[in-house]
Amino acid sequence: MHNFNSGGVPIAYETAGDGPPILLLHGFASTGRVNWWDTGWVRTLTEAGRRVITFDHRGHGESGKLYDAAFYTPEDMAGDALRLLDHLGIEQADIMGYSMGARVAAVFAMAHPGRVRRAVFAGLAARMITGVGGSAAIAAALEAPSRDDVTDPTAKAFRIFAELTRSDLRALAACIRASREKITAESLSAIRVPVLVVAGDRDEVAGDVETLVAAIPGARGVILPNRNHMNAVGDRGFKEAVLDFLA
């Protein structure tokens, strides 16, 4: 992996392929490689003639670890994405985020519309507006001495996933306390780039697709049948919908 300095935070990134660039933003407790390489996304996009950029969010993977929630706002994380494009000399790119990455992508699209060609918000739909909840329980689960000490089933699932990705649990606890900020429908209505919203019909974390589509002028939505928050990310229908949208 490569690294660059993003306002004092080392950020690890990878690139693949040639062609129009697309920047991919992974979900909470994941990494660029787990979210996008291991699910076949990078191969799919490079075979479609795209230059793909993935990176590990601050607090995740090979990037710098911070232990104060104040450093994990969606604006901070969108700033890392912006500085990565600057570092690579990319003036404009498509951007796709999954779950937490979708929220960061939305903040990026609102703050830097001239840098975005098209945007895909996946794994987070209505709850981008209404809120996901559970942050305190997840943070407590990440900070517990052992996964066996965690009784909340959802929080325990995050703890197990974080351990599987060999994450820094204390950094993730700080991140989850700040990164789930709601975005108002009024703010989202200012987005003017083309947007695709994607989520599984069984994804309780994401919420319904229609609510987010209605908030963003001209947005399109795709609902993945029989998919939940964990298995939607590598779905073939998801990939086909994104390729059609980007074209």
Side-chain angles (χ1 to χ4, degrees), residues 43-56:
R43 182 178 64 184
T44 295
L45 290 165
T46 56
E47 288 178 351
R50 308 303 300 262
R51 180 187 183 189
V52 181
I53 304 105
T54 67
F55 71 102
D56 293 345

Side-chain angles (χ1 to χ4, degrees), residues 3 5 30 32 36 46 53 63 66 81 101-102 109-110 112 115 126 138 146 148 190 197 201 204 223 229 238 242 244:
N3 285 272
N5 186 311
S30 189
W36 304 116
T46 56
I53 304 105
S63 290
L66 306 165
M110 290 186 292
H112 312 289
R115 306 299 295 271
I138 294 169
S146 164
D148 296 331
V197 180
D201 64 355
E204 296 182 358
I223 301 171
H229 196 68
F238 179 14
V242 169
D244 288 344

Side-chain angles (χ1 to χ4, degrees), residues 74-98:
E75 290 76 15
D76 288 326
M77 300 174 87
D80 293 333
L82 177 66
R83 287 185 284 271
L84 176 54
L85 292 184
D86 289 343
H87 174 73
L88 295 173
I90 297 172
E91 182 62 31
Q92 189 180 59
D94 294 314
I95 186 168
M96 176 164 63
Y98 194 84

Side-chain angles (χ1 to χ4, degrees), residues 28-29 36 59 62 67 77 79 114 119 132-134 143 150 157 160 190 208 214 218 234:
F28 176 73
W36 304 116
E62 300 299 319
Y67 302 106
M77 300 174 87
V132 178
E143 293 172 332
V150 181
I160 292 170
D208 69 275

Side-chain angles (χ1 to χ4, degrees), residues 159-242:
R159 170 65 181 255
I160 292 170
F161 182 65
E163 290 179 350
L164 288 173
T165 56
R166 299 181 180 180
S167 297
D168 183 317
L169 302 182
R170 191 158 66 95
L172 290 187
C175 179
I176 197 68
R177 288 190 168 101
S179 63
R180 282 187 165 187
E181 293 178 4
K182 300 176 186 178
I183 304 177
T184 67
E186 181 180 8
S187 296
L188 290 165
S189 70
I191 295 177
R192 290 294 181 265
V193 301
V195 170
L196 179 69
V197 180
V198 184
D201 64 355
R202 299 181 180 180
D203 189 343
E204 296 182 358
V205 174
D208 69 275
V209 166
E210 295 87 350
T211 296
L212 185 57
V213 168
I216 302 172
R220 296 161 48 187
V222 172
I223 301 171
L224 306 173
N226 302 315
R227 293 298 184 186
N228 59 36
H229 196 68
M230 297 305 294
N231 62 22
V233 64
D235 182 78
R236 179 186 298 178
F238 179 14
K239 293 173 182 173
E240 292 173 349
V242 169

